[in-house]
Amino acid sequence: MDRVSLPALERNRQVKDYICTHFSEDPIPMQNALKASEKAGLKEIQVPQNVAKMLYMFTLLVRPQRILEIGTLGGYSTLWFAKALKGGGKIVTIEMEKAHAEVAENNFALAGYEDCIELRLGKAQEVLQELIDAKEEPFDLIFIDADKESYPLYLELSLKLSQSGTLILSDNLIPKRGEIGCPDPRDNEALAIYEFNQAMRDHPFLESHVFPTIVGEKGRVDGLGVSIVR
Ligand SMILES: C[S@@+](CC[C@H](N)C(=O)[O-])C[C@H]1O[C@@H](n2cnc3c(N)ncnc32)[C@H](O)[C@@H]1O
């Protein structure tokens, strides 16, 4: 981060603003969801508009019947998935914070999507294992966006809930701190992310890539993981 010059960051921010303004304006239900989340005091850690639109575009491409999301927050990204489903299909979204889940469920109901979204309250590790044990039908699209330290485990469990052709998307694959590709050994989040990146790159059943994204007020470069199950 320190090595990126200020003019470069400013240009990144301008590119992000341009994309958001011209290609990824939030529809009314998403605007309402963000307002309700802010009012309820939720942290603003949802995907930015430009990344939300990428999730939406991927969903339109894949035409999934079943979507699994790990990390709901106030349901902003979930609403983008729901919009892309156009009334067909189902989303299971996992959240461990009751307060977040309540805001999200209200947002789903206000947007009229409560019938196609099932929110599972609980720790993702446990809920994913429950889905596996219940021999839940495989998902066509999985979005990983919760605690970074568990990403390697989420990948392993997600693969058990996938089938050939499943698209696994994963947010924040470029850690905020430290040298790129060379994490501080005390930074558990960054270590887990690089472990995840290596696992998705080397997995024999996955074809993977990281798409750069521009995030945050300052225009930091992050990455969205895109993996296809062979
Ligand atoms: C980055 S936010 C999700 C943002 C959301 N996908 C969006 O873009 O609108 C991460 C969410 O994951 C939840 N979370 C963190 N660790 C979790 C865990 N172990 N199990 C389930 N949810 C978890 C947090 O409470 C938070 O609401």
Side-chain angles (χ1 to χ4, degrees), residues 45-47 69 71-73 75-77 94-97 100 122-125 143 145-147 154:
I45 50 171
Q46 70 278 348
V47 292
E69 178 179 60
T72 317
L73 192 67
Y76 173 73
S77 52
I94 307 174
E95 174 56 56
M96 72 172 193
E97 296 291 342
H100 298 184
K123 284 194 177 168
Q125 298 84 330
F143 179 44
D145 190 23
D147 53 315
Y154 294 154

Side-chain angles (χ1 to χ4, degrees), residues 54-211:
M54 285 171 93
L55 302 178
Y56 174 73
M57 298 298 287
F58 276 120
T59 312
L60 290 181
L61 267 174
V62 172
R63 299 190 190 185
Q65 278 301 305
R66 289 170 54 74
I67 298 179
L68 173 66
E69 178 179 60
I70 306 170
T72 317
L73 192 67
Y76 173 73
S77 52
T78 327
L79 289 176
W80 275 99
F81 287 124
K83 177 177 160 62
L85 286 183
K86 295 180 181 159
K90 181 184 172 180
I91 304 170
V92 175
T93 183
I94 307 174
E95 174 56 56
M96 72 172 193
E97 296 291 342
K98 199 159 185 272
H100 298 184
E102 281 172 6
V103 174
E105 296 218 290
N106 269 331
N107 286 335
F108 301 155
L110 273 176
Y113 286 130
E114 70 271 38
D115 289 343
C116 72
I117 303 172
E118 181 190 343
L119 193 150
R120 301 280 291 251
L121 183 64
K123 284 194 177 168
Q125 298 84 330
E126 290 165 16
V127 177
L128 291 168
Q129 194 56 55
E130 281 165 21
L131 294 171
I132 295 164
D133 294 344
K135 300 200 175 0
E136 188 86 10
E137 258 184 74
F139 291 89
D140 309 303
L141 190 157
I142 299 177
F143 179 44
I144 303 176
D145 190 23
D147 53 315
K148 309 304 162 214
E149 290 178 30
S150 304
Y151 267 38
L153 175 63
Y154 294 154
L155 182 63
E156 213 176 287
L157 297 174
S158 293
L159 282 163
K160 296 186 179 169
L161 291 161
S162 300
Q163 60 191 346
S164 175
T166 296
L167 183 70
I168 302 178
L169 302 172
S170 39
D171 200 26
N172 306 124
L173 295 193
I174 303 297
K176 284 183 192 158
R177 293 172 294 270
E179 291 217 21
I180 302 299
C182 189
D184 180 328
R186 292 161 300 182
D187 187 343
N188 290 334
E189 278 195 7
L191 287 171
I193 289 295
Y194 285 117
E195 183 188 333
F196 174 92
N197 289 351
Q198 195 174 333
M200 76 174 217
R201 187 198 61 198
D202 294 343
H203 199 288
F205 296 150
L206 289 177
E207 194 71 57
S208 298
H209 192 49
V210 177
F211 286 35

